[in-house]
Amino acid sequence: MEQTALRPKPLPGQEPTGPRTGDAGTRPGPAPHRPHAARRRGRRLTTLLLGLLAGVVLVLTGVGLGTVGATVIGMSKLAELQHQAAAAPAPAGPPTGTRTGPAHAVPPARATLGVEAVDAYKAGAEVVAVHVPGPGYTAGLVRGDVVLWCGRTRVGTAADLARAVAGASPGKEVKLTVRHRSGGYQQLVAVPGVVT
């Protein structure tokens, strides 16, 4: 084989194995062996597996730290409640081991409107849910209404509404002053029910 300036001479021990275009006297053979390609594939696989392992370790570490943090916070609140309970004076009266009434005392009936409310933007309690069927639904309360008065009690917050309804007698009418979402005011008559 004649060497040209464009085709360098092979190094000793390395003979060309594959056919070359333009070579008339070369014999066809298998493709040259490249051992470094397999090593590259192995490195890529190793890198991928190590990256995946590191990601799993980081996620599990984060979950573990979050669990420990939640436990510590929960335990500190529990300790605070226990400390408050220990500091509270014992109620005067009969010992806790003796019973002074019927074995199955029925708690007094609590009145309810069958609505869920949150503090309104300005004043009042905004109705966010109305239970169907329920006293609030029967009276005409809808989601978005703001209760301003319950009977003779001014409602400034949702807690005020809860106290006013709890103080009402179940089965007796209560007047509610309501501001609708449209801005109009209306007086509704509701009959609080009993929580069962």
Side-chain angles (χ1 to χ4, degrees):
M1 177 164 102
E2 184 179 314
Q3 297 296 324
T4 64
L6 296 177
R7 186 171 304 144
K9 190 185 225 182
L11 293 174
Q14 292 183 344
E15 294 298 323
T17 56
R20 297 185 182 194
T21 56
D23 286 348
T26 59
R27 58 186 150 82
H33 180 66
R34 298 186 332 193
H36 57 279
R39 278 186 285 170
R40 250 187 287 160
R41 241 182 275 124
R43 279 192 218 137
R44 286 181 190 152
L45 183 62
T46 304
T47 304
L48 176 70
L49 290 176
L50 285 176
L52 185 63
L53 177 69
V56 167
V57 167
L58 288 174
V59 166
L60 292 178
T61 303
V63 169
L65 288 176
T67 304
V68 169
T71 303
V72 168
I73 291 171
M75 293 303 287
S76 65
K77 291 201 184 266
L78 178 64
E80 182 181 326
L81 289 173
Q82 288 175 343
H83 181 66
Q84 287 176 355
T96 58
T98 61
R99 295 184 181 178
T100 58
H104 301 286
V106 177
R110 258 183 41 217
T112 181
L113 280 180
V115 297
E116 295 176 25
V118 296
D119 294 345
Y121 177 67
K122 292 182 180 176
E126 182 177 352
V127 177
V128 293
V130 180
H131 297 263
V132 178
Y137 176 76
T138 306
L141 284 172
V142 294
R143 186 173 174 220
D145 286 349
V146 177
V147 180
L148 302 171
W149 289 85
C150 179
R152 294 184 176 166
T153 306
R154 182 169 177 6
V155 176
T157 62
D160 292 343
L161 177 63
R163 279 191 292 274
V165 171
S169 299
K172 292 194 177 182
E173 292 184 349
V174 174
K175 284 189 179 180
L176 301 173
T177 303
V178 176
R179 181 179 67 230
H180 293 292
R181 187 178 287 177
S182 63
Y185 290 85
Q186 184 179 10
Q187 279 200 347
L188 303 172
V189 176
V191 180
V194 178
V195 175
T196 55

